Amino acid sequence: MATLTIGLLLFLGVHSLAIINIDWRNQQVSKLGIWAWKGIYSLLAGIGLILVIIGYGQARLEPHWLYQAPTGLRHLSLLLMLPVFPLALAGYLPGRINGWLKHPMLIATLLWASSHLLSNGGLHDLLLFGSILVWAALDLLSLRHRSQRPLLMRSASSWNDAIAVIAGVGLYLLFIAGLHPWLIGVTPL
């Protein structure tokens, strides 16, 4: 479980710099340059993600169960996952969804983590999904109190919403049909 914990600290720590100390982050960008900053950021986040994947895989081999999810919660989990892929895609496709929700990727992350906490009752699940849930909630709350960096995005289009919804539902169905068991080793059904 140590590898999972270190990975989460590294991955979420890097992603929390704007939450914790936006001024320090901006100073580093000014000092290093945007591309050097993005390179260091990506390297640390990538190492953290690899450690999370390895650590979670190791922890699943010897689980410490906290609860067994009843069937109803598993169904609710599947329902909560339905908007996750469309919202995640909408975060990168400017449109009405992005305009209404402001941060659809964070909302998708909240739904994803909540959904997985409902249907997975191991200590390693609580550590992984609970940490990400808390991080996403804190990030969403912190966005109310910090100035937004300008994003270079194309103009909003309702076609982008259609693409996000159709492609997102398609990805959801692909994950249910076989990608989740193939990638994660567990069937969501």
Side-chain angles (χ1 to χ4, degrees):
M1 198 94 73
T3 305
L4 175 59
T5 304
I6 292 167
L8 283 167
L9 287 171
L10 188 56
F11 183 77
L12 295 177
V14 168
H15 282 85
S16 298
L17 290 173
I19 300 170
I20 296 167
N21 194 339
I22 191 73
D23 293 332
W24 181 86
R25 180 218 169 269
N26 292 338
Q27 289 170 359
Q28 298 310 307
V29 170
S30 295
K31 185 168 74 172
L32 298 170
I34 190 67
W35 294 109
W37 171 258
K38 285 183 177 186
I40 293 167
Y41 184 101
S42 298
L43 179 66
L44 292 174
I47 291 169
L49 182 60
I50 290 168
L51 290 174
V52 166
I53 292 167
I54 292 168
Y56 186 75
Q58 290 171 343
R60 284 192 330 179
L61 296 175
E62 295 180 24
H64 294 86
W65 296 109
L66 302 173
Y67 61 91
Q68 182 67 36
T71 305
L73 285 182
R74 296 176 98 87
H75 293 143
L76 179 59
S77 179
L78 284 168
L79 183 63
L80 282 174
M81 282 299 297
L82 182 59
V84 167
F85 290 103
L87 288 172
L89 292 175
Y92 295 99
L93 298 168
R96 290 185 186 140
I97 296 170
N98 208 327
W100 288 331
L101 297 177
K102 305 289 187 228
H103 306 286
M105 178 60 92
L106 281 174
I107 294 168
T109 303
L110 287 167
L111 288 172
W112 173 82
S114 299
S115 166
H116 283 77
L117 280 172
L118 288 175
S119 58
N120 297 289
L123 180 59
H124 57 289
D125 300 310
L126 180 63
L127 183 60
L128 174 63
F129 303 118
S131 297
I132 292 173
L133 177 68
V134 168
W135 170 82
L138 290 174
D139 196 24
L140 198 55
L141 287 172
S142 76
L143 285 168
R144 294 181 180 179
H145 304 290
R146 56 182 154 121
S147 61
Q148 293 295 304
R149 294 189 310 253
L151 297 175
L152 300 173
M153 298 194 93
R154 300 176 309 274
S155 61
S157 165
S158 57
W159 282 106
N160 286 342
D161 292 333
I163 292 167
V165 170
I166 292 166
V169 170
L171 280 170
Y172 172 81
L173 294 173
L174 281 172
F175 260 75
I176 297 267
L179 274 180
H180 198 280
W182 181 67
L183 289 170
I184 312 300
V186 176
T187 182
L189 299 175

